[in-house]
Amino acid sequence: MRSAVVLRAVLGRWWQLVCFLPFVIYVVVLGGPAVANGIAVWLMGIAGWIAGVFAKDLGNWPNRPLVPGYSKTLFQMVLVCLLLIPLACGSLWTALGNPPPPFGPGLLWGTIMTLCVVRTAVSPAVLATNLAGIIGLGFYLIWAAKQAMHPVVFESLTDWRLQFPALALAALALFHIWRRLNAPLRATTRNFEAEGREPLYTKLYGLIAGLRARVWREVVVTLPLVALALLLVLLVRTGITTYHVWIVFVLACLVYSLARVVVRLATIHVPLRLLWLSGAAETRRSLGRECALAILMLGFGWLPAGLVGAAILALGMHQAAQFDGVLLVAFTTLLMIALFVGTGRRIPSTKGSLQLLAVGVFCGGLTITLIHGIELGWADRSAMVLVLAGLAVATWWAVARALARAEIVQ
Amino acid sequence: MNDVPEQVLPMEAVPLSIAGLGAGYGPDSPDVLRDFSIELQPGTITGLLGRNGSGKTTVMEVVLGLTFAGREGSVTMFGEGSQPPYWRREVSNRVGYVPQRFSGFGWLKVDACLALVSAHYDHWDYDLADRLRREWRLQNRRIGELPPGDRQKVAVLLAIGHRPDLLMLDEPVSSLDPSARRDFLAALVELNADQGQTVLLASHVTSDIERLATHIAILHRGRIACHAALDEIRDRLGVATLDTPPPLPPEKTFASHGNRYWIWDPHDGCLPANVRIEGTLLEDLFLAVTSK
């Protein structure tokens, strides 16, 4: 009976499945056998994201720990999403005469997505950025198929030396999901009195004022990306071209940072308001300039890891590859700011699904356009100029929106 | 459901006993609760009064294990202590809680939400839930689309559907319209009369508490400043109509409301003023205690 009611609850979000459908069809139709492993992992990411959203929404209820067995039901639902889908797809895949799919990396990717969604605050911005991350990976797969990339990356996903450690890490992630689902919804409350004692400098959380603290924090936060870079260096030694590894790394950085960046951008009007009220910024113009700098800095928040990764991986990279990478970085920054503009304003919860759907279509449209643009040779200097111009316009737009939300009118 | 398991915990056990509870948010923050102690007897309805931010919600959340703010002290529910109560299925089946603000299940319809939660309890009173739904005219719409008052009604249904022996309500009627408030309070009285349910009701509406509660507890500065049966308070609290205030020692409070006067002693509580009982007393008592 519990399974039935949970299934009934899950099917209430049919629009999320519909949202993914065009991209699944696109990848399946346009992808090829070379990226089959990647597609399997990508599907697991989608399954994990959906499981996380369901678990978060069904668990976002203060009484959750009080209802007997409720957290256990949520965890079972997560397991069903994460295990049944790969088992079914993998069995079918293997039955067609193919080698076993990459269960380990797929499950790891799915559990990480679930954990990310379960741990973060549910908001359209967070959900949208998660969605963008998944679409980014899909973009990579399509791009890899179109560019006829060396298949070693995907073949290595089924290597047992990778499968077993990935399965162990996935089990660890599942344990954290279990603990999270059993923990109280509100572990602590904001301590307004202590916050009131903090100086204004600290209140601005180093966004604009504390550059050094912010850089150090970014270094710490992006340590996993540095670890990924080192892993990729090991992969380079197996024969994969440096260019492909670098692209993998850039995409990982972008997916990793998207959620953090957009969420921070969505709240940037709060320190702006504090700056304005405290008199730290004398004119609206100066405040707008600082805001633009902060937005751009946030847009490149993964820069420390990017620099480390680039320093490790850039040796021997072709100039055209560098150009593609820079274009990708600029484009994704534009995407992040556009997401902020699109999701920054609070929209009534009843419109959340439409908003998410719109963002999904927006990201998908841009992704497909860029893919075909690269395929048709648009990725030249004029494309770079266009993207940078779009970046400037979007930044200006984001500043105007942030100042308006901070109610700074003169 | 007919397969109701045998209750493991004794019915006659004290539903809730809190001793020396201290709580606060964050290591350097001041205590929200300090040496908070109270014991609820079975079948009583205790109204918990306190000013904004006095810790009423914290008490309930710490007791139910919904927050980690607890620092010291002990909590015993139905004779079971030492662990968060939600780990024991026997305890969870006997406790209901209505939070101050209901959140979650935004996309679920009311029916689906009730079905989802009811499936987890050993026994669920479908008749009670259906009857209250009809009386409250609760439509089967998505919960995220319901107005706040209707959402609170759903929270109430989810909390009382399994007929808990201990019901904790954190300002449950603050967002209800007068009609729904009356219906809810009537249902509460009915539940209490039917099965001797023990209720802890936190509210700012003293008239509701005065109408429902058998006991009053006033929370002030992190601890219980006054806890007694409402009848006892009525007996001890006097309201006088005097021409001039009597002389009082400095530690005692002389309070007035219009042309009525009464006395509050910090050690002995409300002193009898040797006069007749009339009008609303609880609000005056609350103001006297919390103004210290």
Side-chain angles (χ1 to χ4, degrees):
Chain A
M1 185 175 177
R2 286 183 195 175
S3 306
V5 292
V6 169
L7 184 64
R8 179 180 166 190
V10 166
L11 289 179
R13 307 210 80 164
W14 57 268
W15 52 266
Q16 283 178 346
L17 307 176
V18 172
C19 187
F20 282 117
L21 202 56
F23 304 107
V24 174
I25 292 172
Y26 189 82
V27 170
V28 170
V29 171
L30 296 181
V35 293
N37 289 342
I39 290 173
V41 176
W42 183 64
L43 286 174
M44 280 300 295
I46 292 178
W49 186 83
I50 292 175
V53 171
F54 290 155
K56 183 73 180 179
D57 280 0
L58 291 175
N60 190 22
W61 177 43
N63 290 32
R64 168 169 49 83
L66 295 177
V67 178
Y70 190 74
S71 298
K72 188 178 169 187
T73 302
L74 294 183
F75 187 67
Q76 286 169 347
M77 184 194 67
V78 170
L79 284 182
V80 166
C81 285
L82 288 175
L83 295 180
L84 275 194
I85 292 176
L87 281 177
C89 294
S91 301
L92 182 64
W93 182 252
T94 310
L96 292 173
N98 298 296
F103 283 118
L107 190 60
L108 178 60
W109 175 241
T111 48
I112 287 175
M113 290 302 292
T114 307
L115 195 58
C116 286
V117 178
V118 167
R119 284 189 65 90
T120 54
V122 169
S123 71
V126 173
L127 297 182
T129 46
N130 278 283
L131 185 66
I134 293 172
I135 292 172
L137 188 58
F139 158 65
Y140 166 64
L141 295 173
I142 299 166
W143 197 19
K146 288 294 176 187
Q147 300 294 314
M149 281 177 58
H150 200 282
V152 175
V153 174
F154 304 115
E155 288 172 4
S156 65
L157 290 174
T158 53
D159 190 337
W160 289 110
R161 284 171 297 184
L162 186 63
Q163 294 258 47
F164 281 122
L167 278 173
L169 289 174
L172 195 63
L174 278 173
F175 175 69
H176 279 285
I177 292 170
W178 165 252
R179 285 192 59 180
R180 188 75 185 178
L181 291 176
N182 276 284
L185 185 62
R186 200 158 60 90
T188 183
T189 302
R190 287 185 65 183
N191 186 358
F192 290 100
E193 190 165 328
E195 285 181 17
R197 289 196 297 266
E198 289 178 349
L200 181 65
Y201 184 84
T202 312
K203 280 179 187 170
L204 297 175
Y205 53 85
L207 185 66
I208 297 170
L211 180 62
R212 193 172 59 179
R214 170 162 174 71
V215 167
W216 275 113
R217 189 171 54 194
E218 287 300 325
V219 168
V220 172
V221 169
T222 50
L223 276 179
L225 293 175
V226 176
L228 175 65
L230 294 174
L231 181 67
L232 291 175
V233 168
L234 295 178
L235 279 177
V236 168
R237 293 184 177 179
T238 64
I240 303 173
T241 59
T242 310
Y243 167 65
H244 297 152
V245 169
W246 195 83
I247 292 297
V248 169
F249 180 73
V250 168
L251 281 163
C253 288
L254 299 181
V255 170
Y256 185 82
S257 61
L258 264 173
R260 297 177 59 237
V261 169
V262 173
V263 169
R264 286 192 185 180
L265 286 179
T267 56
I268 199 171
H269 62 283
V270 177
L272 285 179
R273 180 78 179 155
L274 283 173
L275 269 178
W276 182 252
L277 293 177
S278 66
E282 293 182 353
T283 64
R284 188 176 187 272
R285 188 183 185 86
S286 64
L287 195 59
R289 190 168 56 243
E290 289 180 346
C291 178
L293 284 174
I295 287 175
L296 288 175
M297 196 163 70
L298 279 172
F300 290 97
W302 49 276
L303 206 56
L307 288 174
V308 173
I312 296 172
L313 300 171
L315 293 174
M317 196 163 60
H318 194 269
Q319 189 179 357
Q322 290 176 342
F323 188 82
D324 286 349
V326 173
L327 179 66
L328 191 62
V329 169
F331 166 73
T332 311
T333 309
L334 169 66
L335 183 67
M336 284 191 281
I337 295 173
L339 276 173
F340 159 62
V341 174
T343 61
R345 178 177 291 176
R346 286 184 65 84
I347 293 181
S349 58
T350 52
K351 303 293 182 191
S353 55
L354 292 176
Q355 182 188 23
L356 191 53
L357 196 62
V359 170
V361 172
F362 170 75
C363 295
L366 279 179
T367 304
I368 292 168
T369 305
L370 191 68
I371 291 164
H372 289 295
I374 290 173
E375 192 179 37
L376 296 173
W378 295 352
D380 55 8
R381 293 186 189 281
S382 59
M384 176 65 81
V385 170
L386 279 176
V387 169
L388 289 178
L391 186 61
V393 171
T395 305
W396 174 83
W397 194 7
V399 169
R401 168 66 65 87
L403 291 175
R405 292 186 70 201
E407 299 175 358
I408 300 167
V409 292
Q410 59 176 3
Chain B
M1 291 191 176
N2 296 324
D3 53 341
V4 179
E6 190 176 343
Q7 294 287 346
V8 176
L9 301 176
M11 288 294 290
E12 64 276 7
V14 174
L16 177 63
S17 175
I18 306 172
L21 184 64
Y25 296 104
D28 301 325
S29 63
D31 290 338
V32 177
L33 301 174
R34 54 178 89 87
D35 196 23
F36 179 96
S37 301
I38 194 172
E39 187 172 293
L40 304 186
Q41 294 303 318
T44 57
I45 299 180
T46 303
L48 183 61
L49 285 167
R51 303 174 78 165
N52 287 331
S54 60
K56 301 188 293 294
T57 301
T58 304
V59 169
M60 296 200 177
E61 291 188 343
V62 169
V63 164
L64 295 171
L66 302 182
T67 177
F68 294 135
R71 287 174 175 165
E72 58 184 356
S74 65
V75 177
T76 308
M77 298 178 78
F78 301 104
E80 290 289 313
S82 75
Q83 276 190 334
Y86 52 83
W87 291 114
R88 287 290 307 272
R89 188 179 184 88
E90 297 82 9
V91 174
S92 302
N93 267 313
R94 297 177 66 180
V95 178
Y97 171 60
V98 179
Q100 200 168 356
R101 199 170 47 185
F102 179 59
S103 61
F105 304 117
W107 86 93
L108 279 188
K109 290 189 174 181
V110 173
D111 277 349
C113 178
L114 287 172
L116 177 66
V117 174
S118 64
H120 289 83
Y121 283 105
D122 295 334
H123 43 88
W124 183 266
D125 193 336
Y126 292 95
D127 294 336
L128 174 70
D130 289 342
R131 182 167 58 79
L132 288 178
R133 266 199 64 187
R134 281 197 306 276
E135 288 177 2
W136 291 349
R137 298 180 184 87
L138 202 54
Q139 295 176 337
N140 187 30
R141 292 164 57 195
R142 291 186 192 280
I143 291 174
E145 298 171 357
L146 292 174
D150 284 357
R151 235 176 286 170
Q152 194 66 8
K153 290 173 188 172
V154 176
V156 171
L157 286 180
L158 294 178
I160 66 177
H162 58 293
R163 284 193 174 268
D165 294 319
L166 173 63
L167 185 58
M168 303 179 77
L169 310 160
D170 188 4
E171 300 186 34
V173 292
S174 55
S175 56
L176 298 185
D177 59 72
S179 171
R181 202 172 92 189
R182 186 194 58 200
D183 292 342
F184 167 71
L185 295 176
L188 196 63
V189 171
E190 183 187 334
L191 277 173
N192 180 256
D194 278 358
Q195 61 183 60
Q197 195 175 44
T198 307
V199 179
L200 182 61
L201 169 66
S203 176
H204 287 124
V205 187
T206 52
S207 60
D208 286 343
I209 286 189
E210 196 162 19
R211 193 186 314 158
L212 282 177
T214 58
H215 290 68
I216 303 295
I218 297 179
L219 177 58
H220 183 51
R221 290 182 179 170
R223 51 172 66 93
I224 290 292
C226 176
H227 181 211
L230 190 59
D231 292 338
E232 186 183 346
I233 288 178
R234 282 189 173 126
D235 290 341
R236 294 173 62 192
L237 187 66
V239 175
T241 302
L242 302 173
D243 294 332
T244 55
L248 289 172
E251 71 272 13
K252 296 185 178 180
T253 300
F254 186 80
S256 66
H257 181 70
N259 62 348
R260 294 184 301 171
Y261 303 90
W262 35 266
I263 299 162
W264 168 256
D265 186 304
H267 302 296
D268 301 325
C270 302
L271 293 176
N274 195 26
V275 288
R276 68 183 184 277
I277 310 299
E278 62 176 19
T280 301
L281 305 177
L282 196 55
E283 189 172 326
D284 299 336
L285 174 66
F286 172 68
L287 290 173
V289 172
T290 57
S291 63
K292 292 291 289 180

